[in-house]
Amino acid sequence: MSSSVSPLAPKTVPDMPVIAGVRLATAEAGIRYKNRTDVLLAVMDKGTAVAGVFTRSKCPSAPVEWCRAKLKGGKARALVVNSGNANAFTGKTGRSSTALTAKIAAKAVGCSEGEIFLASTGVIGEPLDATKFDGVLGRLAETAESGDYLAAAKAIMTTDTFPKVATATVKLGKAKVTINGMAKGAGMIAPDMATMLSFIFTDAPITPAALQALLKSGVEDTFNAVTIDGDTSTSDTLLAFATGAAAEHGAPKISRASDPRLKAFVKAFNQVLANLSEQVARDGEGARKLVEITVEGAKTKASARKIAMSIANSPLVKTAIAGEDANWGRVVMAVGKAGEPADRDKLSISFNGIRVAKSGARDPDYDEAQVSEAMKAPEIAIKVSLGLGKGRDRVLTCDLTKEYVAINGDYRS
């Protein structure tokens, strides 16, 4: 956790309302860090539905494997998250640690181990001493309250420079329902489902199957459209919990994601995901600029996504942005290497609304001074027009600075 907050951090932090059926508590367990909280316990009421999406890494962490197995039950009573140690690439020891953590948490909360969900973030390859949770989780279960989400978000940070929270309130039937979310992530971000760790809570009465469908759909244009460095984590976990408490106030029970009564809820749910994923991009390790890349005129949306990600993950593009250089040649390079349909002579490129290349060549009205001034902005929008079809997509990333190298060069030191 950095002592210097990213200059791209949101200027305000939302007030996070209470969600009936969710209680939170944090503590210092001494996993790796000193003098800071590093464990979060979220306790949910009986009957809480759970859904999740995870990393597609072929080397997943032990907690990811645990959650995948327990997700089939569809119900959750507690979430345990620790920072400082990812419990990844830890073999049998890692699996034993997850089992012991779940056992301790189940005893503390008073539920079955199958209703415990786990997530870990931090160093890969170091054994996690789960005995450090003994006593701590029991105390947290007793003191958990209906919620300081900001404190919870701080407890799960690693190289993050600020806690990431978002909230939305919407009508479902006759009732007002709330959606709260938190996330952590600043590096090793190129997800195939979510990013590092993120947790969503709502009091809406939604079945596990419907919640799973909403979550899987919601991540595609939010967390799946963010990259910091092109590296997918072993630990990526996004879990959503629905307590159903709003049913007491007239919210209808939803069993299908396609239920028309969910329209406003889905929009709000996706807005929370989008807000959190943008905060991750804003907190990219060493980042000084938020970069939005839009590709239009592609053959398909999928093709546009691949080209946008090729640009976003290019170290040459990202370092040019860090240097405030509108180097469209590097964008052309990234388009060309993406392996997707592209026609050099139809290609147009703009930076912050200023077209720098048109029809495969430098724009005839190009003004170096004007573009250089635009590149000083903290937010950079790159737009690529392919002129081949109607496919369009957008991804978020950040620049690549010397600080990124310093942070990762010293990560285990």
Side-chain angles (χ1 to χ4, degrees), residues 333-389:
M333 172 278 299
V335 172
K337 74 170 185 175
E340 292 297 312
D343 185 334
R344 177 197 61 202
D345 297 332
K346 293 183 178 180
L347 193 64
S348 296
I349 301 167
S350 66
F351 288 83
N352 275 6
I354 303 171
R355 194 170 61 192
V356 297
K358 177 185 178 183
S359 302
R362 185 174 69 181
D363 191 284
D365 297 324
Y366 178 76
D367 183 335
E368 180 77 25
Q370 180 189 28
V371 179
S372 295
E373 184 63 29
M375 293 302 291
K376 295 178 181 179
E379 298 184 10
I380 303 297
I382 299 175
K383 185 176 181 180
V384 175
S385 299
L386 298 173
L388 299 178

Side-chain angles (χ1 to χ4, degrees), residues 169-178 251-252 261-265 268:
T169 301
V170 67
K171 288 291 288 291
L172 180 59
K174 298 180 180 179
K176 179 178 73 173
V177 298
T178 302
R261 294 173 295 181
L262 266 185
K263 185 176 181 180
F265 180 88

Side-chain angles (χ1 to χ4, degrees), residues 221 292-305 308 383-384 389-394:
D221 289 329
E292 178 187 63
I293 299 169
T294 301
V295 174
E296 64 180 18
K299 288 283 189 179
T300 63
K301 175 180 170 67
S303 181
R305 170 66 62 88
K383 185 176 181 180
V384 175
K390 297 182 179 180
R392 185 183 187 279
D393 208 357
R394 162 191 175 273

